[in-house]
Amino acid sequence: MKFLVLLLGAFLLAGCTVTPNGITPLENFDIDRYLGTWYEIARLDHRFERGLSQITATYSKRPDSGIDVLNRGLDNKTGKWKEAKGRAYFISGPDVARLKVTFFWPFYGGYNVIALDREHYANALVCGPNRNYLWILARTRQLDESVLQQLTEKAERLGFDTSQLIFVDQ
C-alpha cells in the first residue's frame, strides 16, 4: 500500500513537468545566453500574476547546476512590489530548453522554451505543462510589433488560445 501511495505521489508531482502534447522544447539551448532579466510582454491569465504590472523574470546560475528564478511585479492595487523566488533544473540535459521549476518544494511545474531569437536571445515564447500557461518574454520592455505577431502566430499554430493573451503594462 505504501508503495502505491508513493508511486501515485510521484506521478502527480511529475505530471506538472510534462511538455504539452505536440510541442517540442528547443534543442541546442545555451543557458548562459538565456540568463539575466526578461520582461513579460504577454501571458495567458493565471492567479500568480493577476493584478501585476512591470513583471520581470531574472535567471541566474546556482552552484548545484540549477537556475535561481526571481519573478517580480508591481501590485497595481497596493503599489508594492511582489516577488517569488524559485529554482529550476533541466529535465533532459542542459542543451534542451525543458526545465522543472519550483516556488513551493516539492511541487514542480514545467518550463519549456518553445521559440527563441537564436541570434540575440532577445525574445522567447515559453509554455508550462499544458496549453493554459504561455508567456511572451523579451529583453526589453517593448517588443517590435512584427516580432510579437510572429510569436503570437506560432503560439496559435501550436494550439494556444492567443485571443486570451494579456498584454502586460511595462
Side-chain angles (χ1 to χ4, degrees):
M1 184 64 160
K2 270 187 185 179
F3 175 75
L4 288 176
V5 170
L6 287 173
L7 185 62
L8 179 61
F11 176 75
L12 290 173
L13 290 176
C16 291
T17 62
V18 297
T19 304
N21 205 14
I23 294 177
T24 304
L26 296 178
E27 295 184 2
N28 302 312
F29 181 68
D30 183 349
I31 188 60
D32 290 323
R33 294 185 66 199
Y34 196 80
L35 297 175
T37 299
W38 290 84
Y39 295 91
E40 184 175 289
I41 303 301
R43 71 168 183 279
L44 291 178
D45 189 32
H46 57 85
R47 65 182 176 86
F48 308 116
E49 296 180 54
R50 203 166 283 150
L52 300 182
S53 62
Q54 301 181 46
I55 300 168
T56 59
T58 302
Y59 307 104
S60 57
K61 277 194 173 176
R62 295 176 49 84
D64 64 359
S65 300
I67 306 297
D68 276 323
V69 179
L70 175 62
N71 289 344
R72 191 169 192 256
L74 183 64
D75 186 316
N76 294 323
K77 288 185 181 177
T78 66
K80 295 182 180 179
W81 289 95
K82 287 190 170 183
E83 291 185 348
K85 294 180 181 179
R87 57 189 184 276
Y89 296 94
F90 287 98
I91 295 173
S92 304
D95 64 336
V96 178
R98 180 174 178 238
L99 297 97
K100 60 181 185 176
V101 64
T102 181
F103 293 94
F104 309 102
W105 187 86
F107 303 102
Y108 284 88
Y111 182 99
N112 305 287
V113 181
I114 57 176
L116 180 66
D117 166 22
R118 296 278 196 169
E119 185 176 350
H120 303 289
Y121 276 60
N123 57 71
L125 186 61
V126 177
C127 73
N130 58 48
R131 286 180 173 77
N132 295 324
Y133 296 94
L134 180 73
W135 295 268
I136 297 175
L137 306 177
R139 294 293 191 172
T140 58
R141 294 178 188 276
Q142 303 287 325
L143 190 56
D144 182 88
E145 191 62 38
S146 65
V147 174
L148 180 58
Q149 183 176 348
Q150 289 171 358
L151 291 170
T152 303
E153 288 172 357
K154 178 167 180 101
E156 190 172 342
R157 284 192 308 273
L158 290 171
F160 291 91
D161 183 0
T162 58
S163 71
Q164 297 299 311
L165 281 174
I166 296 169
F167 292 89
V168 178
D169 182 15
Q170 284 289 349

